[in-house]
Amino acid sequence: MECVRRIAALIVKEFLALLKDPKSRIVVIGPPIIQLILFGYAATFDLTDIPYVFEDLSRSAESREFLSGVSGSPYFHLVGEIRGESVIRDMIDSRKVGFVLRIGQNFAKDLKAGRSAPVQALLDGRNSNTAGIIGNYLSNVVGQYNTMRLSRVGRASPSILVSRIYYNENALSRDFFVPGIVGLIAMVVTLLVTALSVAREREHGTFDQLLVTPLSPIGILIGKAAPGLIIGLLEATLIMLAAVYWFEVPLRGNLGLLYLGLFFFIFAAVGVGLMISSLSVTMQQALLGSFLFLMPSVLLSGFATPIANMAKVVQWITLINPLRYVLVLIRGVFIENSPTYVLLMQVWPLVLIGLACMALAVVMFRNRIY
């Protein structure tokens, strides 16, 4: 009982030190707000109001009808009509437009003869992802135009493709990104708070005073780990509330399983933070070590790019990344309402990684003391 009381006193002391230190307060408050705003509003694969120009060499009713379908799309914004290869190149090089449409001179003649009448779309390939999305939008417009013509000329009824998107009915990037921010911010804040804990003691010259207390090294680590664990869960809760009530992301799954996975994920992040803190002499070194871990962790998590698209060797490396599992868990609860057994398949690796990280943190901390 006395040991518990001492650990509780150390936890209170850690919270007080965290709240009184301006740098630590910025770490707790700044990153969550900035990342929530950036990823909630700026990080998106959706494109709207794409500027474009066209060159119509056909000058026919058919070409005008096709162009009206493009201009009527909610994704495109007509800048004007142009003439000449040099003007086209200049418009793309200067990034004034996202694409250029060129309708050939024989467009109407080929359509009336039943031949294919290609329309050339010139895209800016410097951003391959954007170019691919614009190409898909244009393919939909061309498909709608073909369907309309086939229906009007009285030929056999064309096949109509009706798309239905599961889980994300409106195809919003926000519904994909915002749930991932829950795990990302929880990891950033937990890692930084924990990494700074022991380094702060060394930098302020109070680490030796901490060692002469009746607490054992494991007791000191528990006292150092608890604030990070509590703050990480609180940050995750606040971001989830913002996701549901501000960004209106649906929460369809089991909230209890989500918190179970978050607990072990943050537990693993605390272990990594304590390892970094044990190796760091100053707070600056702790911050640098945290960011050196965070960057590859985010890149190898599937937060923005699918893990399946990575090289096989890299895919094997991602198996030791706790952020990989918690992102699947969070998106499974928010977007998919995944079955319990599917979610539990993401929890048990987090348990193993958390225990391994904490065990390594204990060993490294003891080695630094003795």
Side-chain angles (χ1 to χ4, degrees):
M1 194 67 184
E2 183 66 21
C3 181
V4 174
R5 188 183 65 81
R6 291 168 180 167
I7 293 175
L10 180 57
I11 293 173
V12 172
K13 176 256 183 191
E14 282 296 310
F15 272 113
L16 291 175
L18 184 67
L19 296 175
K20 288 182 179 180
D21 184 14
K23 294 180 182 178
S24 300
R25 286 202 303 269
I26 292 174
V27 166
V28 174
I29 299 172
I33 296 175
I34 294 172
Q35 291 186 61
L36 182 62
I37 293 173
L38 285 178
F39 286 105
Y41 289 104
T44 176
F45 292 135
D46 303 327
L47 297 177
T48 56
D49 200 31
I50 305 165
Y52 77 97
V53 292
F54 69 88
E55 183 181 25
D56 184 7
L57 300 178
S58 177
R59 297 287 178 178
S60 61
E62 287 80 4
S63 64
R64 288 192 295 272
E65 186 179 48
F66 176 81
L67 289 170
S68 67
V70 179
S71 63
S73 170
Y75 305 112
F76 305 132
H77 166 65
L78 178 61
V79 174
E81 183 178 2
I82 59 171
R83 280 293 179 94
E85 183 74 26
S86 61
V87 181
I88 293 174
R89 183 175 295 276
D90 178 67
M91 295 294 287
I92 293 179
D93 288 347
S94 61
R95 301 181 188 268
K96 293 179 181 178
V97 295
F99 65 96
V100 177
L101 280 179
R102 296 185 71 185
I103 299 178
Q105 190 172 359
N106 298 324
F107 181 77
K109 182 179 178 180
D110 290 338
L111 284 177
K112 292 174 182 177
R115 297 190 296 267
S116 61
V119 175
Q120 189 176 23
L122 306 173
L123 306 171
D124 185 355
R126 285 171 288 193
N127 188 326
S128 58
N129 182 65
T130 299
I133 294 173
I134 293 174
N136 291 333
Y137 289 166
L138 287 172
S139 296
N140 291 334
V141 173
V142 172
Q144 292 172 4
Y145 177 75
N146 291 336
T147 299
M148 180 183 64
R149 277 195 58 82
L150 286 172
S151 299
R152 194 172 58 214
V153 298
R155 296 178 183 175
S157 299
S159 299
I160 299 176
L161 177 65
V162 179
S163 300
R164 179 182 176 186
I165 303 176
Y166 281 83
Y167 306 124
N168 188 357
E169 292 81 3
N170 297 319
L172 297 175
S173 296
R174 182 179 297 174
D175 287 4
F176 175 77
F177 275 116
V178 173
I181 301 173
V182 177
L184 181 60
I185 290 181
M187 184 173 203
V188 170
V189 174
T190 303
L191 194 63
L192 291 177
V193 168
T194 313
L196 292 173
S197 60
V198 178
R200 187 191 307 112
E201 301 282 358
R202 287 200 177 97
E203 191 168 290
H204 293 172
T206 57
F207 186 67
D208 292 336
Q209 297 176 15
L210 188 63
L211 295 179
V212 298
T213 62
L215 286 170
S216 64
I218 293 179
I220 294 174
L221 276 185
I222 294 173
K224 293 288 186 181
L229 192 61
I230 295 170
I231 290 172
L233 288 171
L234 288 175
E235 294 280 1
T237 302
L238 289 175
I239 300 303
M240 284 193 288
L241 290 173
V244 174
Y245 295 107
W246 181 262
F247 293 106
E248 298 181 346
V249 179
L251 178 60
R252 301 186 172 108
N254 190 322
L255 199 59
L257 273 176
L258 176 57
Y259 269 100
L260 179 66
L262 280 172
F263 174 83
F264 286 108
F265 166 70
I266 295 172
F267 182 69
V270 167
V272 175
L274 288 175
M275 284 192 289
I276 295 172
S277 192
S278 299
L279 295 173
S280 304
V281 178
T282 65
M283 295 175 66
Q284 186 176 7
Q285 291 178 357
L287 286 172
L288 180 59
S290 299
F291 283 111
L292 286 175
F293 174 82
L294 281 171
M295 183 60 70
S297 179
V298 174
L299 290 175
L300 300 179
S301 66
F303 178 78
T305 56
I307 293 176
N309 292 349
M310 301 177 187
K312 285 294 182 182
V313 176
V314 178
Q315 291 184 36
W316 282 101
I317 296 174
T318 63
L319 295 176
I320 60 174
N321 183 8
L323 191 57
R324 164 193 173 144
Y325 301 101
V326 81
L327 288 183
V328 175
L329 179 69
I330 293 171
R331 287 168 177 161
V333 172
F334 266 87
I335 302 174
E336 302 175 38
N337 189 17
S338 300
T340 300
Y341 73 91
V342 174
L343 298 178
L344 288 175
M345 290 298 292
Q346 308 303 320
V347 173
W348 71 262
L350 289 172
V351 176
L352 294 180
I353 294 172
L355 292 174
C357 290
M358 193 57 69
L360 285 172
V362 171
V363 171
M364 295 173 68
F365 186 72
R366 290 174 65 93
N367 288 339
R368 292 288 290 185
I369 293 175
Y370 303 117

